[in-house]
Amino acid sequence: MAWTDRVTTTTNQKIMPWVVDTILNSNVLAQRLIRKAKKWNGETQKFPIKYQANSTGQSFAGFDTFSTSAVQTRVNLAFTPRFYQITCSLPLDELAANATEEKVLDLMATELKSSAQDMASDIGTLLYLNGTGNGDKDFNGLGSIVDDGTGVAVYGGLNRNTYTTLQSTITASGGTLTLARMSTLYNAVTSGSQKPTIGICTEAVFNLYESLLQPQERIAKDVSLLKGRNVGLNAGEGLIGGTGFTGLFFKGFPILADEKCDVNALYFLNEDYLDFYALPVPMTEPIKYKSVDVKGNDYSEVLGLGFSWTGFIKALNAASVVSHIFLGGDFITDNPKRHGKLTGITTV
């Protein structure tokens, strides 16, 4: 209904002191990785990997002759940093109008926080792609990390068909998700204590997995935003930051729903071999704040090594200020064989 002038001329409007986000979706993988980012070192980040065993071992007796051959067993995976930015600009007349006693939210701070969250959402999308976007400038994502050489033949400068231990396990589900297929994938990426620490899928696949469980097995637990092995929590235990995601467990590790995940896919990932290596941009300031002004999404805290911004810069030919938020580095695994993926899941 429309109020009469009797009401509008005697009653102030009330604007709630926060913004409710109705656009951004969940971003599980990016939050777990970037909040625990590691420091990038050097112009190239190198990871020595062992790709074959020393073959000179032998049994012997008496004066048997031994091999004197030197066997090459190691080679370097090598990565160069990649960078992403988002622009935050504001006209000075709007800032002037906001700088009054009736200000409810600080326009400059709110716009910066909102843009940082939008950037985090963009990066969450990139972390599922293969890094070839925008002329190979995008961050590497699971599309290149979890691959058997069919989609991305060269990883870290090495050809997966030559260095076959760099191949992940990719298994077509044939359309149907079963516990047996999940167990087969688990066995393929597991060796002794080296096993997956997390499963990632869409909400649709998450619901399919839930339907496979017996009622007594459908125990949902909160899972911390922070990555690591001990991510399941017992009843009554708190979460770091007081928040988390709901997970259903499989063979001791949580399966989580991420709306940015590939459609019809289920990843098994070992986070001991999966990190975001961050390289801060020079002449910028680090970003580390808790946003209480923007509610309704999973981006309340843009934390982690690497996020930085230029500060607001006055434009030369306009009454405005502009700033840029940066994230540098890359999403890297040094052991692709410890990750796997089921594809084509549509039913149970």
Side-chain angles (χ1 to χ4, degrees):
M1 62 178 288
W3 294 112
T4 65
D5 289 342
R6 290 188 300 275
V7 175
T8 59
T9 58
T10 59
T11 308
N12 279 329
Q13 293 181 337
K14 174 65 174 179
I15 299 177
M16 302 309 294
W18 59 76
V19 177
V20 178
D21 181 3
T22 63
I23 183 66
L24 300 182
N25 295 322
S26 70
N27 198 359
V28 176
L29 181 65
Q31 288 199 70
R32 285 171 64 88
L33 287 167
I34 294 176
R35 291 159 80 81
K36 294 289 288 183
K38 294 183 177 179
K39 185 178 180 180
W40 187 286
N41 285 298
E43 49 87 21
T44 302
Q45 191 83 35
K46 294 184 178 180
F47 299 87
I49 64 164
K50 183 176 179 178
Y51 66 93
Q52 65 179 5
N54 185 333
S55 58
T56 61
Q58 67 178 75
S59 57
F60 72 95
F63 291 98
D64 286 355
T65 301
F66 302 150
S67 170
T68 58
S69 299
V71 180
Q72 177 61 264
T73 62
R74 294 180 303 279
V75 69
N76 284 326
L77 280 169
F79 303 88
T80 54
R82 303 182 179 200
F83 298 90
Y84 195 87
Q85 77 88 38
I86 197 167
T87 302
C88 180
S89 299
L90 288 167
L92 294 183
D93 55 353
E94 291 185 6
L95 291 173
N98 180 244
T100 68
E101 293 181 359
E102 297 302 317
K103 175 173 68 177
V104 177
L105 291 167
D106 186 288
L107 175 59
M108 183 178 287
T110 301
E111 194 67 22
L112 178 63
K113 293 170 184 178
S114 178
S115 294
Q117 293 182 5
D118 293 342
M119 178 176 169
S121 177
D122 293 346
I123 292 167
T125 299
L126 295 179
L127 294 192
Y128 283 98
L129 304 181
N130 62 14
T132 61
N134 194 22
D136 293 330
K137 298 174 188 175
D138 285 351
F139 294 125
N140 277 297
L142 293 183
S144 60
I145 289 172
V146 186
D147 189 87
D148 59 3
T150 303
V152 179
V154 177
Y155 182 71
L158 302 179
N159 193 301
R160 282 179 156 122
N161 295 317
T162 302
Y163 300 97
T164 56
T165 58
L166 298 179
Q167 296 178 9
S168 304
T169 300
I170 310 295
T171 304
S173 71
T176 305
L177 179 68
T178 67
L179 294 177
R181 287 193 173 102
M182 292 174 67
S183 292
T184 298
L185 179 62
Y186 174 86
N187 292 336
V189 300
T190 297
S191 179
S193 63
Q194 305 298 313
K195 50 192 174 184
T197 61
I198 192 172
I200 296 284
C201 58
T202 63
E203 290 178 325
V205 174
F206 183 88
N207 291 337
L208 290 175
Y209 172 59
E210 183 178 25
S211 71
L212 293 174
L213 302 177
Q214 297 295 324
Q216 66 271 20
E217 297 174 316
R218 296 176 188 173
I219 302 173
K221 296 183 180 181
D222 280 342
V223 178
S224 172
L225 293 173
L226 300 179
K227 79 184 188 74
R229 283 191 174 276
N230 299 318
V231 292
L233 297 178
N234 298 321
E237 288 184 335
L239 284 164
I240 297 175
T243 186
F245 303 106
T246 299
L248 290 168
F249 279 66
F250 177 76
K251 294 186 182 295
F253 65 93
I255 308 294
L256 299 178
D258 189 339
E259 292 164 283
K260 292 184 177 294
C261 185
D262 311 6
V263 175
N264 304 331
L266 171 61
Y267 287 93
F268 284 177
L269 306 173
N270 187 328
E271 295 169 292
D272 291 343
Y273 305 106
L274 200 60
D275 288 286
F276 191 90
Y277 285 82
L279 178 63
V281 175
M283 296 185 290
T284 61
E285 301 175 11
I287 288 180
K288 186 176 181 180
Y289 61 77
K290 184 170 184 177
S291 175
V292 296
D293 298 332
V294 183
K295 302 169 61 176
N297 61 40
D298 289 333
Y299 303 83
S300 61
E301 297 182 14
V302 179
L303 301 174
L305 181 67
F307 275 106
S308 61
W309 75 302
T310 59
F312 281 102
I313 304 166
K314 294 180 181 178
L316 295 177
N317 58 351
S320 64
V321 290
V322 62
S323 69
H324 302 278
I325 304 171
F326 297 116
L327 180 65
D330 207 0
F331 181 31
I332 295 172
T333 184
D334 56 356
N335 200 352
K337 69 179 291 184
R338 294 304 174 199
H339 314 301
K341 178 183 177 182
L342 276 176
T343 64
I345 302 168
T346 57
T347 189
V348 293

